[in-house]
Amino acid sequence: MLQQRYLCLWFQHVCTDWYIRRNAALQGVPFVLAAPLRGRLVVTDSSAVASRLGIHVGMVVADCRARVPELQVLDALPNKAEQLLAALAEWCLRYTPTVAVHAPDSLLLNTTGCSHLWAGEPAYVKEILDRFHFLGYHVRAALADTIGAAWALAHFGQAPSILASGQQVAGISPLPPAALRLAEETCTRLQQLGFHRIGQLLPISERALLRRFGSQLPMRLGQACGQVPEILPNIEVATPYQERLPCLEPIRLLPGIEIALRQLLEALCSRLHQEAMGLRTALLKAYRIDGAVQQVQIGTHKASRHPEHLFRLFQLKISSFEPALGFELFVLEAPLTEPLTAHQERLWAKEHAAEELLLAQLLDRFSGKLGSNIIHRYLPAEHYWPERSLVEAQSLQQTTAASWLRHRSRPMLLLPQPEAIEVTVALPDYPPLLFRHKGVLHRVLRADGPERIEREWWLGDTGPHRDYYGVEDEEGLRYWIFRSGHYATGTPEWFLHGFFS
Amino acid sequence: MSIQVSKAALIQQLQQDILRLQSGHRQSLPPLHTGLGILEQAFPQQCFPAAGLHELISYAPGHAAATQGFLAGLLQHILPQQAYTLWISTWRRLFPPALTAFGLDPSRVIFVDIPRNKEALWAFEEALKSGAVAAVVAEIPNVSFTESRRLQLALEEHQVTGLLHRYQPRSDNTIACVARWKVESAPSLVLGELPGIGFPAWRVQLLRVRNGRPGQWSLAWVDGGFQHRVMLPVAHENMIRKAM
């Protein structure tokens, strides 16, 4: 078995470094992050500059201000350090497949069998440190055979330090006992008893230590020296929903592509089924043997993991593939997924569900072939202004508390732009006697109105109001016309806006 | 006598067999209530042919609005409660809030706007085949006989109602359909001496019906249902009293 090697990365100012990355104005300025604790503002993180000026975590902000008048104080974000460490751990996966977060401020990389890829351990550590320094993080690193030794050297030793294999006992001997990750009271007692270096503890028998200091000290000592194994939970990264199908022979014909697609969909959908997910978008990439990559994408209105439905959506699009000499690899990805439990599926299966599912699949096919902007469903909006009285629904399930205006008559056919008409009016505020639209004269026999609709000034809408009339001519055709403005102020204009059924 | 009776019965039986072979009729399902009243007598077996293509032609925008109103009233009767319907259109001017006057919830209507004739026809056929909706409205002006035949076959197979509204078609060519309608606006129905515009009224013509009798009717939309104008004087007094 290979000798295990661990790299400990200690982020001294992870939160404040992140603030500086976000806001370059904080560069070189002493600042702290503070949170209220028992009625006082207490420093939770201090920046590198502030730390050099003697500001430490746990100090009261008022005291710090007295010491450093130009100190800036920002609100601490809860759990920010854990989030940042988790993100940095994921980023470190480029250096090794096993990374663990060591709370509260360190990362541990199991570098066994990885460092030779960067031409040896010194170059490997330098590469990692350079990258982090470039990103603006203050990092101290140490590489050793055990987690305990790497941690101790990173926090208390000469960083960066690389301890040769088997040297951990000699490496940690000069360090203070606090480097063993001990509880605070144990450290204090060791200090009082005159133990200033780990080397002084090594000759003492384990039983004596156990009797005097409890089980933690001998365990930590054993872990640092490599006699007691230590395991940290490695981070796990969600694997993307992706399926690959390499082909022995290049695929050139449509039936072949369809078979490949069916296989990929079966595999992806069974995985989605196990994880109770459904996909909203799917992407099929086809790699041609001359290096060209072609792809088609589909979207669904409702999360789906139904291979046949998804296949039909793809079927509308795969005719755009140009195989030429043939495809050698197909990759199916689901970039957007949503939880879809079997319970949900059963719920839908009750009332109208079969039809609704069929409808969603039909609409998927429409938008897959013709674009998603062709499908419209409308919900009422709380506006009287006709053009604003409806809003477009985003999904089939969406509902609204508003209701349609039932007590006002609205025309069946509404012109996109009101068309100007010439009218003859007996009295102001009366419906017209005659009107001329596109050169044809209409004699008004019956009329309703006016229904005044004001501009919605609170939406920044300015202009004259509209007085709507419903009129019927001698042929029995019914029109919705309006007058824009008053007769008192100039000559108002008349428009035809729609036709009643 | 008995021979005559049996002959009549035999002819009726044969007629029904022919209808069944031509399909377009819901055999197992109960007859559909369209609320069209005596107009239904124009259809074979006095029953609205639900599984078939109905063609409605209009030329002026006012008459197109009347046709859309008539369609909405018809849909309200033939659609199940809380069901969605599709309104495929190449030139949509329909104002959804107006559908409430005809008892149709606008949020249950899904509008599919496809400007190109060919793609709209594809969508219409897919919708008919999907089994997701009981009735589909399509506003596609130009349909050739071959295309309509395709649609009619899909409709008969899947037992759906297809309502094809042709507004200002390039030519009013014959297409394969169970009925050709023409709905025009008529002077509104006014009760007594009440002022203003009354109930919407239409002149409904059945220009062609397969195995039926074409004719012309005068219909109005009163209190959420179709009313025949000729039958109105009977109920007139009641209605005036109600309106007052």
Side-chain angles (χ1 to χ4, degrees), chain A residues 75-362:
Chain A
D75 287 339
L77 297 171
N79 300 331
K80 189 72 212 170
E82 284 98 79
Q83 291 169 11
L84 280 171
L85 278 178
L88 291 168
E90 206 169 304
W91 187 83
C92 284
L93 284 174
R94 66 189 61 198
Y95 297 113
T96 165
T98 43
V99 179
V101 175
H102 193 294
D105 50 11
S106 308
L107 293 182
L108 278 160
L109 281 62
N110 185 342
T111 67
T112 315
C114 297
S115 51
H116 72 276
L117 297 170
W118 278 265
E121 286 177 339
Y124 179 69
V125 174
K126 187 174 179 301
E127 151 83 14
I128 295 175
L129 289 178
D130 285 351
R131 283 291 196 102
F132 276 118
H133 288 154
F134 177 73
L135 293 174
Y137 287 100
H138 290 80
V139 189
R140 285 162 63 93
L143 190 64
D145 277 4
T146 61
I147 293 171
W151 193 92
L153 283 165
H155 286 70
F156 292 91
Q158 285 285 325
S161 60
I162 297 168
L163 212 54
S165 194
Q167 297 295 308
Q168 59 270 26
V169 177
I172 62 169
S173 290
L175 303 179
L180 289 174
R181 298 175 284 168
L182 300 173
E184 193 136 343
E185 62 265 32
T186 319
C187 289
T188 323
R189 279 184 70 198
L190 286 166
Q191 191 79 25
Q192 286 165 350
L193 292 169
F195 290 106
H196 301 296
R197 289 180 294 110
I198 295 173
Q200 293 171 306
L201 291 166
L202 290 171
I204 302 171
S205 78
E206 194 183 320
R207 287 177 60 196
L209 288 175
L210 191 67
R211 205 168 57 238
R212 284 297 201 91
F213 301 101
S215 62
Q216 197 196 24
L217 178 57
M219 184 188 77
R220 289 296 193 199
L221 205 54
Q223 284 176 345
C225 297
Q227 290 137 7
V228 178
E230 182 177 4
I231 295 161
L232 279 178
N234 295 323
I235 59 155
E236 278 183 28
V237 181
T239 38
Y241 289 99
Q242 191 190 55
E243 294 292 335
R244 295 163 65 87
L245 185 72
C247 308
L248 277 178
E249 299 264 333
I251 305 275
R252 295 183 57 194
L253 299 174
L254 190 62
I257 298 173
E258 287 184 353
I259 291 167
L261 180 58
R262 270 184 199 281
Q263 283 188 11
L264 289 170
L265 280 171
E266 288 290 339
L268 188 70
C269 288
S270 71
R271 190 182 152 206
L272 287 168
H273 190 77
Q274 280 166 8
E275 297 177 17
M277 299 292 276
L279 64 83
R280 289 293 306 276
T281 59
L283 186 69
L284 177 68
K285 284 185 188 163
Y287 291 77
R288 216 160 66 177
I289 53 173
D290 61 358
V293 183
Q294 298 178 4
Q295 61 178 50
V296 291
Q297 187 166 8
I298 57 150
T300 62
H301 280 79
K302 203 184 232 178
S304 169
R305 52 166 181 253
H306 193 260
E308 190 55 36
H309 169 54
L310 297 171
F311 177 74
R312 287 178 71 182
L313 292 182
F314 269 119
Q315 215 177 8
L316 298 169
K317 295 213 168 168
I318 49 177
S319 55
S320 69
F321 276 153
E322 288 169 9
L325 292 168
F327 295 116
E328 56 180 354
L329 172 68
F330 292 96
V331 177
L332 181 68
E333 288 171 18
L336 187 61
T337 53
E338 274 180 9
L340 173 71
T341 59
H343 176 64
Q344 266 175 308
E345 280 183 318
R346 266 205 307 281
L347 255 181
W348 289 336
K350 278 183 187 155
E351 38 184 311
H352 293 303
E355 282 89 12
E356 261 186 51
L357 199 61
L358 284 172
L359 187 64
Q361 295 184 352
L362 176 72

